[in-house]
Amino acid sequence: MEMVAFYYFLAFLLAFFLLSKQFFPKRKNLPPSGPLSFPIIGHLYLFKKPLHQNLARISSQYGPILLLKFGSRRVLLVSSPSAAEECFTTNDIVFANRPRFLSGKYLGFDYTVLALAPYGQHWRNLRRLTTLEIFSSTRLQMFSKTRTNEVHSLLQRLLAIAGNSSETQDMKSMFFELTLNNMMMMIAGKRYYGDNVGVLDKAKHFQELVEEIFGAGGVSNIEDFLPLLKWVNFNGLEKKLVRLQKKRDQFMKELIEEHRMARTQSKDEKSLLDVLLSLQEDDPNYYTDEIIVGIIHVLLIAGTDTTAGTMEWAMSLLLNHPEVLKEAQAEIDAIVGQDRLLNESDISHLPYLHCIINETLRLYPAGPLLVPHESSEECIVGGYSIPRGTMLLVNLWAIQKDPNLWEEPTKFIPERMESIEGVRDGYKLMPFGSGRRSCPGEGLALRVVGLTLGSLIQCFEWERVDEELIDMTEGTGLTMPKAKPLEAKCKPRPAMLSFLSQL
Ligand code: HEM
Ligand SMILES: *[C@@H]1O[C@H](CO)[C@@H](O)[C@H](O)[C@H]1NC(C)=O
Ligand SMILES: *[C@@H]1O[C@H](CO)[C@@H](O)[C@H](O)[C@H]1NC(C)=O
Ligand SMILES: *[C@@H]1O[C@H](CO)[C@@H](O)[C@H](O)[C@H]1NC(C)=O
């Protein structure tokens, strides 16, 4: 009797199996899910910093298209040029969104911030506005003098210390202050570091604020994916962020207020704040103070550390490769000469310098995982179906160091950039991302980096502080900082001394 019941049961199972195949749709063809995923935490146990290095290891083991789980969030991890191309061409609009948590809590940012805003009308407005008022070639041209002044004051500072051969130069701070001053000049027509800083205690306050903001952690915080942890940690991180946000808002408010009082009317001199305030007059409901603060803040956050860090890595690479430094200097001597200072119009005539910058961005991209994207509907990548609401991480760091794509991938060889084809070379090299969410600051960044490095190489002889090679270990910050800040020694080149002392 029991035997019969057992057979009935088997028959029932078989029938159910056949029927379910018939009536329920086939399971979606999802990408492989990589290493073991645990309940609740998913793959978060893999969250070791630097994240891009860890994820690169996983991809090399499990494949270039993986669907991971960070807590309850689906994450598409892409680490091949062809998959990246599909994300930023066929599916560019689908992936033009940003994950919600980014626009939510981080530093008290809300959706007003360009880099983190969800894809839509509002993002388009912000992007169009900044393209016109900051990133357009007319505006970039207009601020050329500002950049030149900043570089000259860097050269002056170096000259003042370089006379003392026992002094080493803190290159990290110098690059950071240069880019920040440059950005604040474009935004508000004021510098905040060094000589001629206007109101000193304001400047001091600003410096502290900036240091705190840049020290406040990154997007790749585990707390973003595990609400429970966030709650546990509330008193630490969250409190700090709230306090920072208050300080920031106070500072920005004062800045805006000052500009309201003394608006610059002349067309050429207009800073971004002047432009934003006149827009506010025309449309006060849209261009609120919050929107203005958001725009300014994102430019500082997205534009400062990235640019300064790239210069620091480039200089470090050059110090470890004196033969490359020599060749760059020879190129500048041949094309610009030694009877005037290099200027911005020279940069486009210095292909080797460009190669150095591009090779630096290949090895040390300031956005190693880009900025997270999110799919707004279901789409296909590499033949797999990707559900709606999936976060996209493109491991640029892995692609740009892939031994299948690059010969001797970890070596600094600027010459290899001569054979790069097209802008992104088949999506093998895209330090500024690609598609509609790519970096709008690329032109500005390349100008600042080119002019600064070119001038340093033209005017000074550089060397390491001792025999030891510069430590190239990556730190764990948001924009891939160097673990050890760069220090170096320099002395002015005799032929350039007369121009330097005239500055
Ligand atoms: C070497 C310097 C820089 C590098 C390597 C860099 C790289 C990047 C990358 C990888 C992204 C994300 C692209 C994506 O999500 O797919 C990005 C976005 C962005 N960058 Fe840059 N960037 C640099 C400099 C700058 C500068 C100087 C500014 C502005 C002054 C800037 C402003 C932005 C903004 C606003 C976004 C967000 C765009 C959006 O979401 O629509 N960046 N950048
Ligand atoms: C050179 O720098 C050292 C260390 O900062 C300092 O002690 C010394 O007085 C400086 N010498 C001159 C001539 O400025
Ligand atoms: C750079 O210098 C050259 C030669 O002196 C000059 O013709 C050119 O106008 C300068 N460009 C800028 C942007 O100052
Ligand atoms: C460097 O990269 C940029 C794109 O990021 C490209 O436009 C340029 O042609 C490259 N230059 C060289 C010398 O490879």
Side-chain angles (χ1 to χ4, degrees), residues 362-375:
R362 180 183 72 82
L363 288 168
Y364 302 99
L369 294 168
L370 302 181
V371 174
H373 293 240
E374 189 180 284
S375 59

Side-chain angles (χ1 to χ4, degrees), residues 307-420:
T307 311
T310 302
M311 295 196 275
E312 198 188 349
W313 284 116
M315 207 61 204
S316 306
L317 286 164
L318 289 173
L319 287 165
N320 281 350
H321 297 83
E323 70 291 349
V324 175
L325 183 55
K326 215 173 232 149
E327 188 159 346
Q329 205 166 49
E331 179 185 65
I332 293 171
D333 288 347
I335 288 166
V336 184
Q338 291 197 306
D339 20 78
R340 65 178 177 87
L341 289 177
L342 175 152
N343 69 24
E344 240 180 59
S345 347
D346 297 317
I347 302 299
S348 56
H349 306 298
L350 300 169
Y352 194 65
L353 182 64
H354 276 277
C355 289
I356 290 172
I357 296 169
N358 283 7
E359 178 74 345
T360 302
L361 286 166
R362 180 183 72 82
L363 288 168
Y364 302 99
L369 294 168
L370 302 181
V371 174
H373 293 240
E374 189 180 284
S375 59
S376 53
E377 54 188 83
E378 191 178 325
C379 64
I380 305 282
V381 174
Y384 300 112
S385 66
I386 310 300
R388 171 173 181 228
T390 301
M391 177 165 126
L392 168 68
L393 290 180
V394 175
N395 197 341
L396 191 64
W397 187 87
I399 294 175
Q400 294 187 164
K401 281 190 167 172
D402 186 340
N404 300 316
L405 303 169
W406 305 92
E407 263 172 55
E408 301 189 276
T410 56
K411 281 223 175 108
F412 176 61
I413 311 175
E415 288 77 9
R416 73 166 98 227
M417 288 293 150
E418 284 160 8
S419 55
I420 285 287

